[in-house]
């Protein structure tokens, strides 16, 4: 088990390195006039020369990479160097802020968005999935499956627009202002306002995911319910509630966990869309803004951030499923 | 983005009909498939007929009719006898643009998914069949691609595609096809790798070995025919996902570029200008097109899966 | 009043497409306290379906149950789900076939046994745990205190079945329904489980319904017999009568197939000296000092080898039996001989030329085409050994395509001759495997193995997945192929009965080592090794003389007559 985790971490590190390499090369090729692209709007030649020198833009790209990885000279008081502790992702000359600081300041918004969405989609899909699997083909099953089907077929950006149109704009025309159209209130300031501001974004992400997960839970439950050990549970005279929620769900969770990890890992994609629609100032918005404006240190930073999130969540899922299997498959 | 990875790879080995013709017949009997085929058929028909409709109403997809279709304050008109679904903020015919948008969706989605299928199946076959270092290298490549944030990297690629004077090196549509394919082949690779590895240990593959079949012959005769149904079903699963991916990229302004109509950039237009609040068809038109296409393809793949794998279905 | 009586039970499956299927067509039987009723039939006879239907466990949509199932006079057909739930576990205990599939993989065995109690009674945790420990001890699980919190995967097949029995008996029910409880188990384990059931019945006076496909297995335990076929009862009555004088031809057929021991046919009596023209005694295949170790080099120190230091000869025209229980290494050995796996040590040679290699660890050994054609394999499961997407014609043409350049017409002649050899009609060539029965599939698999005119065929549990009557047909086919073509067979099986009937010589494998080898009659009548003796003693059916002479009749004190 330990060897497995160590090997798995090794592979993740390699993946991260390749992602960095590819992104780095891509952005360096994308540079036309690098210093001018990176500099603030009306910077003079002196500033641009400073940037060129600080990032060693006059040197070949592989030397720039070495410089990016190992510690170089501080730029305006901020450390550079990914392999330095704490890791530094570079400096955004446009925003006059170190990239690490910039990303970390946006994480709470995106994390709140992801966390709430996951809680909502998991709860709903588990409950509706089990309900559907109880009597496949029944009216309940058909209604739930049809609703899930529509959810699954709605692109996140469309769900977001529809939610903000009906639950914000339409309600507002009747004078009801339950949901704000945009903005973010930190949890520490007011948990209620935090949730109220995030509810529509959460739903925008969760609706499509419920569509997907409801079907996975249902399929997985149906498969498990035909297993011999479920018949054994019934043969013991176990109440149906325990058969479903204890025996069957316990085994049916594996594909849900696996897919959950993958979807969670890719949540930044959904976050970009939802943050754009609902005006949330999170990592997704930062990523798309920097990419559109050519602020490459931030692009590399957010790409690496997304990769780390992806790698960590898949790693966690692999280890968790492995531990669960450990109990049942090997010893 | 809701790129669904195959939650569980299913080999349709116990499919009721081993013969292709018989299988096709029982697939077409399925109600879900019939609904899906009808919806998709209508979408395809409309996409093909788009120039015809444009000629009929006399409005090209990018032509602007600011005097006829916008009122004095610049607000687009609603449905009328000449603009059946009304106009957009630039005075263009929404109906004509929606129909042309269907073309873009299909022209991006179908080739992108097909390319992804070919690449992914090849990679998965090699990794699953040969195992060992081949598998290690290919799995590492797959991991790397999977861990790239789709939208952010797509943005870098779009930026890369722009030349100094603002024009594009390759056509944006081709670039979008490339980007979507590059990010979706991994799902096919995972699927085929799992299925191939499972088939690899089946006695009938070993039986082929004992009569002296070589690796390529086994791949061609024993593995491919048995994974093909699952791969084709997955193509139909991935296609709507990829159509949504194109729409999302266009919505974010990095896919198909205006003035070329695409459902994604039309919806973005409607949302950005908030004009859909007065001319709802501006939003409803492309939204219905997109959702109908996705629902249609989902219904087909869902039905096919039910027929091939009776354990999974509702019966 | 009977503990449990089924009267005119009918089970119909409503199909969405096509006609309804009547799986059980009016079945009646009854069992009394302290007695054992055996229900015997081949797969599809409706034996399991009728019991599941009678107890409300049939979990199939569209199943319609009619008739009566009386438990102490109360009809269970039509009883509410809650009434049935209250009976199951407390009044009726169940033991099913495959203990691996029937225990929840993610729950500890202690928790699963405890549930049998807590689903009917509210009891303090500690009291439940104490009772679980008591039960585990009663069914013969050693050190229950240490094992109670283990997961099923940490138990062997036999131990898992004991856990199942503990679960079924937790509330001391008056009726125990055991559905093929020993079928998935090794023969020695089967004997001990049968012993356990008999002991528990003696102590608690439980009525047992024992379902099996094998008349030999139930012969030692049954008081009454019901023989089923195609959803109807063919014959029923007192066990002595059924075994002594079966009234129906079908029962006699089953009984004949169940009789074990070296066949008394003239071909074997004549001695294994001549067969198919080739002189026996001419060593064809030589296995010397073969060993195999699974896993990585580093892990090897901890795990015992799957096979170690095995040597034997296979002579021309000989059928050599390779016998062992699960984990004995017999399949590994078979794969090495078949050239599907490289050994870690030793070598295998045919006519003096070695075709295995111990050097580089290859994913798959590559045999030169000539040798490849000389050694063929027939696998256990005829359902997975044929490519479902290819017609029989394409499957059988493959070896010819690879090794011989034949014109279409010549190929057709060869294919027809081939299916003829395995006693199939030429029309089968156009069918897909899905449209064939298990027996037909296995014949196709044999035909494929014969296409290249091999000298050696490795038959790995080749009849184990087949019904008992189909089994005897395939065995006859193997015998005929040996006679007519002088093919040597390495016949791998866990079923001593089959081996003793078919093989000239036997090799007994235990823990990867050969513990005994010799002429079949000799091994079965005078085994030297204690493990071999244990194996032979465990062959079911001695009590009713279902084991032919040649097998020992001693040591029967263990089985109370």
């Amino acid at each position: 088990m330990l060897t497995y985790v160590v090997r798995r971490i090794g592979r993740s590190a390699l993946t991260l390195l390749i992602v960095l390499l590819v992104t780095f090369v891509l952005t360096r090729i994308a540079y036309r006039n690098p210093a001018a692209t990176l500099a603030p709007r009306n910077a003079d030649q002196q500033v641009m020369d400073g940037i060129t020198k600080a990032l060693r833009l006059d040197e070949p790209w592989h030397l720039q990479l070495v410089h990016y990885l190992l510690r170089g000279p501080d730029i305006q008081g901020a450390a550079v160097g990914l392999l330095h502790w704490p890791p530094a992702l570079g400096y955004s000359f446009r925003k006059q802020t170190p990239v690490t600081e910039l990303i970390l300041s946006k994480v709470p918004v995106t994390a709140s968005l992801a966390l709430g969405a996951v809680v909502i989609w998991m709860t709903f899909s588990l409950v509706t999935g089990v309900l559907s699997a109880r009597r496949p083909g029944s009216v309940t099953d058909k209604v739930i499956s049809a609703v899930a089907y529509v959810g699954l077929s709605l692109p996140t950006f469309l769900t977001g627009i529809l939610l903000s149109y009906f639950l914000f704009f339409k309600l507002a025309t009747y004078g009801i202002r339950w949901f704000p159209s945009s903005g973010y209130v930190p949890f520490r300031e007011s948990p209620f306002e935090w949730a109220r501001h995030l509810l529509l974004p959460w739903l925008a992400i969760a609706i499509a995911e419920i569509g997907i997960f409801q079907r996975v839970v249902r399929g997985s439950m149906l498969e498990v319910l035909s297993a011999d050990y479920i018949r054994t549970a019934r043969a013991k005279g176990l109440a149906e509630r325990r058969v479903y929620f204890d025996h069957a769900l316990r085994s049916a969770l594996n594909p849900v966990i696996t897919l959950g990890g993958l979807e969670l890992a890719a949540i930044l994609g959904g976050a970009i869309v939802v943050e754009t629609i609902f005006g949330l100032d999170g990592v997704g918005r930062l990523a798309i803004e920097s990419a559109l404006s050519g602020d490459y240190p931030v692009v590399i930073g957010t790409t690496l951030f997304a990769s780390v999130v992806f790698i960590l969540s898949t790693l966690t899922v692999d280890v968790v499923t492995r531990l669960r299997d450990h109990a049942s498959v090997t010893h | 983005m809701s790129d669904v990875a195959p939650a569980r790879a299913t080999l349709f080995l116990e499919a009721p009909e081993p013969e292709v013709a018989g299988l096709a017949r029982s697939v077409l009997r399925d109600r879900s498939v019939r609904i899906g085929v009808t919806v998709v058929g209508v979408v395809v028909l409309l996409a093909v007929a788009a120039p015809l409709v444009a000629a009929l109403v006399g409005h090209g997809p990018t032509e602007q009719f600011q005097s006829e279709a916008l009122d004095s304050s610049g607000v687009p008109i609603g449905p009328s006898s000449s603009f059946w679904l009304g106009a957009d903020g630039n005075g263009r015919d929404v109906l004509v643009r929606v129909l042309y948008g269907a073309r873009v969706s299909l022209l991006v989605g179908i080739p992108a998914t097909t390319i992804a299928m070919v690449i992914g199946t090849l990679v998965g076959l090699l990794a699953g069949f040969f195992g060992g270092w081949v598998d290690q290298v290919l799995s590492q490549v797959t991991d790397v691609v999977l861990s790239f944030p789709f939208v952010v990297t797509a943005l870098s690629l779009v930026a890369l595609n722009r030349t100094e004077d603002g024009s594009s090196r390759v056509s944006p549509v081709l670039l979008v096809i490339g980007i979507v394919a590059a990010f979706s082949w991994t799902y096919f690779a995972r699927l085929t790798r799992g299925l191939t590895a499972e088939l690899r240990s089946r006695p009938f593959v070993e039986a082929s070995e004992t009569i002296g079949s070589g690796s390529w012959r086994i791949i061609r005769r024993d593995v491919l025919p048995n994974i093909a149904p699952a791969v084709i079903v997955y193509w139909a699963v991935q296609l709507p996902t990829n159509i949504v991916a194109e729409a999302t990229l266009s919505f974010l302004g990095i896919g198909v570029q205006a003035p070329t109509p695409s459902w994604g950039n039309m919806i973005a237009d409607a949302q950005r200008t908030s004009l859909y609040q007065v001319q709802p068809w501006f939003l409803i038109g492309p939204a219905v097109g997109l959702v109908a296409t996705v629902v249609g393809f989902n219904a087909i793949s869902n039905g096919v899966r039910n027929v091939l794998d009776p354990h999974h279905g509702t019966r | 009043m009977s503990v449990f009586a089924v009267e005119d039970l009918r089970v119909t499956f409503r199909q969405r497409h096509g006609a309804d299927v009547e799986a059980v067509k009016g079945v009646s039987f009854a069992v009394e306290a302290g007695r054992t009723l055996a229900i015997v039939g081949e797969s599809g006879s409706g034996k399991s379906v009728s019991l599941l239907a009678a107890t409300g466990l049939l979990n199939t949509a569209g199943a319609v149950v009619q008739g009566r199932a009386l438990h102490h006079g109360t009809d269970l057909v039509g009883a509410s789900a809650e009434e049935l739930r209250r009976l199951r576990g407390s009044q009726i205990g169940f033991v099913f076939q495959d203990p691996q599939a029937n225990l929840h993989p993610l729950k500890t065995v202690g928790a699963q046994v405890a549930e049998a109690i807590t689903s009917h009674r509210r009891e303090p945790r500690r009291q439940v745990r104490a009772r679980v420990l008591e039960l585990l001890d009663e069914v013969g699980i050693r050190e229950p205190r240490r094992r109670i919190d283990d997961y099923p995967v940490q138990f062997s097949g036999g131990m898992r079945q004991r856990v199942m029995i503990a679960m079924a008996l937790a509330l001391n029910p008056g009726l125990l329904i055991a559905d093929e409880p020993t079928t998935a188990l090794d023969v020695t384990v089967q004997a001990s489980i049968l012993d356990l059931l008999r002991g528990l019945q003696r102590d608690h006076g439980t009525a047992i319904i024992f379902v099996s496909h094998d008349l030999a297995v139930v012969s030692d335990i049954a008081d009454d017999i019901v023989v089923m076929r195609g959803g109807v009862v063919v014959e029923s009555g007192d066990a002595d009568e059924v075994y002594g004088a079966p009234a129906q031809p079908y029962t006699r057929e089953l009984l004949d197939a169940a009789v074990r021991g070296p066949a008394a046919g003239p071909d074997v009596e004549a001695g294994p000296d001549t067969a198919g023209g080739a002189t026996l005694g001419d060593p064809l295949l030589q296995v010397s000092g073969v060993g195999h170790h699974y896993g990585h080099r580093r892990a090897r120190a901890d795990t015992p080898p799957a096979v170690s230091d095995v040597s034997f000869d296979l002579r021309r025209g000989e059928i050599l039996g390779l016998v062992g229980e699960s984990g004995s290494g017999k399949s590994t050995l078979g794969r090495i001989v078949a050239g599907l796996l490289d050994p870690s040590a030793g070598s295998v040679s045919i006519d003096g030329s070695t075709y295995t290699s111990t050097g580089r660890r290859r994913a798959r050994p590559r045999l030169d085409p000539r040798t490849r054609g000389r050694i063929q394999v027939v696998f256990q499961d005829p359902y997975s050994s044929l490519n479902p997407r290819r017609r029989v014609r394409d499957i059988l043409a493959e070896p010819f395509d690879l090794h011989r350049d034949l014109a279409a017409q010549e190929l057709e002649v060869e294919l027809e001759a081939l299916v003829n050899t395995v006693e199939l009609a030429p029309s089968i060539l156009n069918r897909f495997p899905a449209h064939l029965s298990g027996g037909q599939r296995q014949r196709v698999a044999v035909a494929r193995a014969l296409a290249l005119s091999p000298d050696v065929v490795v038959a790995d549990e080749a009849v184990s997945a087949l019904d008992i009557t189909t089994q005897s047909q395939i065995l006859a086919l193997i015998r005929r192929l040996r006679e007519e073509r002088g093919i040597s067979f390495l016949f791998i099986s866990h079923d001593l009965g089959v081996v003793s009937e078919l093989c000239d010589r036997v090799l007994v494998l235990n823990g990867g080592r050969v513990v005994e080898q010799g002429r079949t009659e000799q091994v079965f009548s005078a085994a030297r090794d204690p493990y071999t003796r244990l194996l032979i003693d465990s062959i079911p059916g001695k009590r009713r003389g279902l084991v032919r002479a040649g097998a020992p009749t001693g040591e029967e004190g263990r089985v109370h007559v």
Side-chain angles (χ1 to χ4, degrees):
Chain A
M1 187 67 206
L2 192 68
T3 0
Y4 170 77
V5 174
V6 170
R7 274 237 301 279
R8 189 69 182 66
I9 290 174
R11 267 188 62 173
S12 304
L14 183 60
T15 305
L16 202 59
L17 195 70
I18 300 174
V19 169
L20 169 66
L21 196 71
V22 173
T23 322
F24 200 82
V25 171
L26 269 183
T27 51
R28 297 294 134 145
I29 297 171
Y31 282 153
R32 304 286 173 255
N33 185 356
T37 317
L38 294 180
R41 281 277 165 257
N42 37 23
D44 54 22
Q45 192 57 42
Q46 203 191 338
V47 175
M48 293 200 203
D49 286 348
I51 293 173
T52 309
K53 224 171 135 224
L55 291 180
R56 309 204 172 164
L57 294 174
D58 44 355
E59 291 176 19
W61 69 265
H62 58 271
L63 288 180
Q64 295 179 26
L65 180 63
V66 170
H67 171 68
Y68 184 82
L69 283 174
L70 304 174
R71 183 179 178 152
D74 294 357
I75 302 168
Q76 307 189 2
V80 167
L82 196 60
L83 300 179
H84 162 269
W85 192 260
L89 292 168
Y91 190 81
S92 166
F93 298 94
R94 288 274 180 88
K95 306 211 152 145
Q96 299 285 314
T97 322
V99 175
T100 328
E101 207 175 285
L102 203 57
I103 292 178
L104 288 180
S105 72
K106 315 275 187 193
V107 165
V109 179
T110 308
S112 305
L113 184 61
L115 200 75
V118 169
V119 169
I120 292 176
W121 98 50
M122 279 297 178
T123 317
F124 271 84
S125 38
L126 285 180
V127 171
T128 55
V130 172
L131 275 180
S132 263
R134 250 187 121 128
R135 279 197 188 71
S138 67
V139 179
T140 325
D141 176 35
K142 280 187 177 148
V143 169
I144 291 176
S145 296
V147 172
Y149 208 77
V150 174
L152 164 85
S153 302
L154 281 176
T156 307
F157 65 91
L158 200 55
T159 322
I161 294 174
L162 294 178
L163 283 173
S164 91
Y165 178 69
F166 287 108
L167 293 183
F168 161 69
F169 181 78
K170 275 286 170 193
L171 282 184
T173 55
Y174 298 114
I176 305 169
R177 297 195 177 273
W178 287 345
F179 306 105
S181 73
S182 63
Y184 172 76
V185 177
F187 183 77
R188 258 177 303 173
E189 270 174 36
S190 160
F192 176 74
E193 285 297 312
W194 171 80
R196 197 170 77 95
H197 278 77
L198 282 169
L199 192 64
L200 293 186
W202 284 340
L203 286 178
I205 293 182
I207 284 176
E209 301 288 352
I210 293 172
I212 296 164
F213 276 79
Q214 189 273 340
R215 284 154 55 106
V216 173
V217 173
R218 178 181 180 273
S220 180
M221 279 292 284
L222 280 181
E223 195 174 318
V224 172
L225 283 172
S226 65
D228 285 348
Y229 56 80
I230 296 299
R231 186 183 58 192
T232 308
R234 293 200 168 110
K236 280 191 278 197
L238 216 57
E240 285 296 287
R241 192 172 35 83
R242 274 173 81 183
V243 172
Y244 280 96
F245 283 95
D246 185 1
H247 283 238
L249 197 56
R250 191 183 288 252
S251 306
L253 274 183
N254 258 355
V256 180
I257 294 175
T258 309
L259 186 63
L262 272 176
E263 291 288 294
L264 187 62
I267 203 156
L268 200 71
I272 288 178
V273 172
V274 172
E275 286 174 12
T276 306
I277 293 172
F278 291 96
L280 294 170
D281 196 11
V283 182
R285 259 266 285 267
L286 178 69
I288 196 161
E289 272 174 9
S290 56
L292 283 172
S293 67
D295 196 354
Y296 292 112
V298 185
V299 173
I300 299 176
T302 46
T303 305
L304 282 184
F305 174 77
S307 302
V308 170
V309 170
F310 181 90
I311 286 167
L312 283 183
S313 44
T314 45
L315 185 71
T316 316
V317 165
D318 279 4
V319 172
V320 166
T321 42
R322 187 109 175 163
L323 279 174
R324 277 168 63 91
D325 288 348
H326 210 60
S328 62
V329 178
T330 51
H331 50 252
Chain B
M1 208 86 345
S2 48
D3 311 39
V4 192
R8 184 194 257 88
T10 321
L11 273 168
F12 301 121
L13 287 181
E14 297 147 52
E17 278 289 329
E19 243 174 319
V20 179
L23 206 58
R25 240 175 288 128
S26 48
V27 161
L28 282 177
R29 262 201 302 272
D30 186 88
R31 199 162 58 105
S32 176
V33 171
R34 284 184 169 180
I35 296 172
V37 167
T38 313
V39 173
V40 169
V42 169
V43 171
V44 172
L45 208 69
L46 289 176
V48 171
L52 225 66
V53 175
L56 189 70
V57 297
H59 304 149
T62 56
E63 274 180 275
Q64 303 187 354
F65 301 91
Q66 305 210 338
S67 53
E68 302 146 53
L70 301 180
D71 65 14
S72 52
S73 52
V75 174
I77 58 164
S80 71
S81 58
S82 58
F83 291 84
W84 297 351
L85 290 184
D88 69 2
N90 287 318
R92 292 175 295 205
D93 188 321
V94 169
L95 174 69
V96 173
R97 285 178 67 75
V98 167
L99 298 187
Y100 273 89
R103 300 187 134 204
V104 169
S105 277
L106 296 175
L107 282 181
V108 171
I110 292 174
T113 313
T114 310
I115 293 169
M117 178 178 79
V118 172
I119 297 174
T121 306
L122 194 68
V123 169
L125 265 179
L126 295 179
F129 193 84
F130 292 105
W133 68 268
V134 180
D135 183 29
Q136 299 243 320
V137 170
L138 292 175
S139 295
Q140 182 71 52
V141 172
T142 314
D143 273 6
V144 168
V145 174
L146 273 172
S147 61
F148 267 104
F150 170 61
V151 178
V152 180
T153 310
L155 265 168
S156 306
L157 291 172
V158 169
L160 206 64
N161 190 38
R162 252 181 234 136
T163 52
E164 309 266 327
D165 53 5
S167 64
S168 305
R169 288 167 207 269
V170 297
S171 138
V173 172
L174 284 184
L175 184 67
V176 174
I177 293 176
I179 291 174
V180 173
F183 279 94
S184 55
W185 67 264
T186 49
Y187 299 108
F188 287 96
R190 282 181 158 218
L191 174 82
T192 30
R193 177 180 173 272
L195 296 180
T196 308
E198 198 192 321
L199 277 175
R200 186 81 181 86
S201 58
R202 294 270 167 138
F204 69 79
V205 171
E206 293 204 320
S208 285
E209 277 174 349
T210 59
I211 57 168
S213 291
S215 297
W216 289 108
R217 195 182 172 96
I218 292 176
I219 289 180
R220 214 173 57 242
R221 305 218 168 183
D222 292 326
V223 180
L224 255 183
N226 281 300
I227 62 170
V231 171
I232 291 168
V233 167
Y234 198 65
W235 182 89
V237 170
Q238 192 61 37
L239 180 63
T241 310
N242 282 352
I243 287 177
V244 169
E246 179 273 321
T248 305
L249 288 180
S250 302
F251 174 78
L252 291 170
I254 45 178
V256 177
Q257 303 292 324
T260 310
S262 132
W263 291 335
N265 67 28
M266 290 173 76
I267 293 172
D269 226 16
Q271 196 250 348
R272 196 177 46 244
T273 57
S274 291
L275 286 173
Y276 69 94
Q277 292 169 2
V278 285
Q279 209 292 75
W281 291 101
F282 190 5
L283 175 66
I284 296 172
V288 165
L290 184 56
V291 173
T293 311
V294 172
V295 167
F297 279 113
N298 278 342
I300 295 177
S301 58
N302 200 33
V304 172
R305 210 169 0 189
N306 278 352
V307 174
L308 289 180
D309 187 4
H311 307 294
H312 243 260
T314 40
R315 55 206 74 173
Chain C
M1 195 190 303
S2 306
V3 173
F4 191 66
V6 164
E7 290 170 8
D8 194 28
L9 190 78
R10 288 167 192 278
V11 183
T12 312
F13 293 106
R14 291 265 148 85
Q15 305 287 94
R16 189 179 261 202
H17 305 290
D20 294 353
V21 178
E22 202 177 7
V24 179
K25 306 163 183 161
V27 165
S28 306
F29 52 80
V31 63
E32 312 296 329
R35 285 179 72 87
T36 301
L37 168 73
I39 303 182
V40 181
E42 295 183 278
S43 54
S45 61
K47 56 192 193 302
S48 298
V49 173
S50 32
L51 282 170
L52 292 175
T55 50
L57 280 178
L58 204 56
N59 188 26
T60 320
V64 181
V65 185
Q66 290 163 301
R68 304 211 299 167
L70 303 172
H71 178 258
H72 289 295
T74 318
D75 192 2
L76 302 186
V77 177
S80 76
E82 180 54 25
E83 278 173 80
L84 284 169
R85 185 194 72 73
R86 250 179 280 149
L87 276 181
R88 287 194 302 254
S90 64
Q91 305 287 318
I92 308 173
F94 292 84
V95 178
F96 297 109
Q97 175 172 353
D98 181 1
Q100 164 141 34
N102 275 295
L103 288 174
H104 198 296
L106 299 172
K107 285 178 151 260
T108 63
V109 296
Q112 299 192 51
V113 177
E115 275 175 346
I117 302 167
T118 56
S119 46
H120 297 282
R121 284 184 200 161
R122 286 189 161 275
E123 268 181 36
R125 234 169 236 270
R126 287 177 61 186
Q127 206 174 317
V128 171
R129 196 174 166 89
R131 173 75 181 130
V132 171
L133 285 171
E134 207 179 287
L135 280 165
L136 291 178
D137 188 54
E138 191 180 354
V139 297
I141 293 199
R142 258 165 281 160
E143 296 187 75
R145 228 165 262 289
R146 202 170 57 77
R147 304 306 306 270
I148 186 168
D149 292 319
D150 282 349
Y151 287 92
V153 70
Q154 287 153 292
F155 287 74
S156 67
M159 286 297 140
R160 284 188 205 133
Q161 199 59 299
R162 285 168 191 267
V163 172
M164 280 289 288
I165 293 172
M167 220 151 75
L169 297 179
L171 296 174
N172 205 358
L175 172 65
L176 180 71
I177 294 179
D179 189 354
E180 304 260 12
T182 61
T183 306
L185 305 175
D186 278 327
V187 61
T188 52
V189 182
Q190 167 170 286
S192 66
I193 294 287
L194 289 175
D195 265 352
L196 173 67
L197 285 176
R198 266 192 301 262
L200 291 169
Q201 181 174 46
R202 202 173 42 226
D203 296 347
H204 300 283
T206 322
I208 298 182
I209 298 181
F210 193 105
V211 180
S212 179
H213 66 283
D214 191 342
L215 268 173
V217 170
V218 301
S219 68
D220 295 345
I221 190 170
D223 299 309
D224 301 285
I225 304 264
V226 166
V227 179
M228 281 183 71
R229 184 189 204 180
V232 294
V233 173
V234 175
E235 179 163 3
S236 67
D238 187 82
D240 292 333
E241 284 169 25
V242 174
Y243 282 102
Q248 297 295 321
Y250 179 66
T251 314
R252 229 168 293 142
E253 199 183 319
L254 277 184
L255 211 49
D256 285 344
V259 173
R260 303 293 159 81
D267 47 328
V268 179
E269 281 302 297
D273 294 312
T274 54
T279 327
L280 214 68
D282 177 9
L284 174 68
L285 191 91
Q286 281 181 304
V287 175
S288 46
V290 162
H292 187 78
H293 224 135
Y294 283 106
H296 288 284
R297 253 161 260 114
R298 242 176 315 140
R300 276 192 221 170
D302 315 330
T303 51
V307 173
S308 67
D309 197 24
V310 172
S311 303
F312 64 87
D313 288 350
L314 178 62
R315 285 172 290 179
R316 213 174 285 278
E318 182 182 38
I319 304 181
L320 175 62
L322 196 56
V323 171
E325 296 187 288
S326 48
S328 63
K330 59 186 191 304
S331 283
T332 306
L333 194 57
R335 292 171 58 81
I336 292 172
V337 171
L340 288 169
L341 187 72
D342 275 330
S344 332
S347 67
V348 187
S349 54
I350 186 162
D351 276 341
S353 70
T354 303
Y355 60 86
T356 56
S357 132
T358 51
R360 203 157 58 91
R361 300 268 290 177
R362 299 171 290 182
R364 294 286 161 141
R366 276 233 151 284
L367 270 58
D368 74 89
R370 228 183 66 78
T371 316
R372 184 69 284 173
R374 297 184 70 181
I375 305 158
Q376 291 293 301
V377 186
V378 176
F379 295 93
Q380 168 172 9
D381 181 6
Y383 287 83
S384 59
S385 68
L386 302 176
N387 186 341
R389 305 239 172 251
R390 307 191 70 198
R391 286 172 201 276
V392 172
R393 176 188 307 281
D394 301 322
I395 292 171
L396 293 183
E398 188 99 22
F400 295 108
D401 281 354
L402 281 162
H403 295 269
R404 291 167 63 183
D405 200 15
L406 292 180
Q409 265 185 335
E410 292 171 302
L411 180 65
E412 197 60 32
V413 173
E414 290 278 358
L415 290 179
E416 281 184 20
L418 204 53
V419 290
N420 206 14
T421 314
V422 295
E423 295 149 11
L424 290 171
S427 63
I428 209 154
L429 286 172
N430 293 322
R431 301 221 234 143
F432 282 96
H435 299 146
L436 307 181
S437 70
Q440 286 175 319
R441 286 175 188 221
Q442 201 58 305
R443 284 173 194 271
V444 172
V446 172
R448 173 176 54 195
L450 294 179
L452 296 174
S453 310
D455 297 318
V456 178
V457 170
V458 177
D460 188 358
E461 300 274 8
V463 298
S464 306
L466 304 173
D467 265 336
I468 205 155
T469 42
T470 319
Q471 234 179 42
S472 2
Q473 291 164 9
I474 298 287
L475 292 182
L477 175 64
I478 290 177
R479 237 178 261 127
R480 221 194 66 221
L481 290 170
R482 188 268 296 272
E483 309 288 303
E484 290 174 3
R485 300 196 169 196
I487 298 173
S488 313
F489 284 88
L490 181 62
F491 189 87
I492 302 171
S493 181
H494 70 281
D495 189 335
L496 284 127
V498 169
V499 167
S500 67
E501 196 181 322
L502 178 74
C503 300
D504 306 319
R505 252 180 345 124
V506 186
L507 214 65
V508 181
L509 229 57
N510 185 23
R513 292 175 185 279
V514 177
V515 293
E516 177 130 13
Q517 59 175 314
R519 294 270 294 272
T520 308
E521 313 89 83
Q522 190 191 330
V523 170
F524 276 76
S525 56
R528 287 184 306 268
D529 181 74
Y531 174 74
T532 313
R533 274 203 297 275
L534 176 65
L535 267 185
I536 293 166
D537 285 342
S538 305
I539 303 178
K542 283 197 212 69
R543 180 176 160 204
R544 302 218 181 254
L546 295 181
V547 182
R548 280 214 189 91
T553 43
E555 310 227 27
E556 267 206 303
R558 214 168 51 85
V559 182
H560 55 273
V561 184

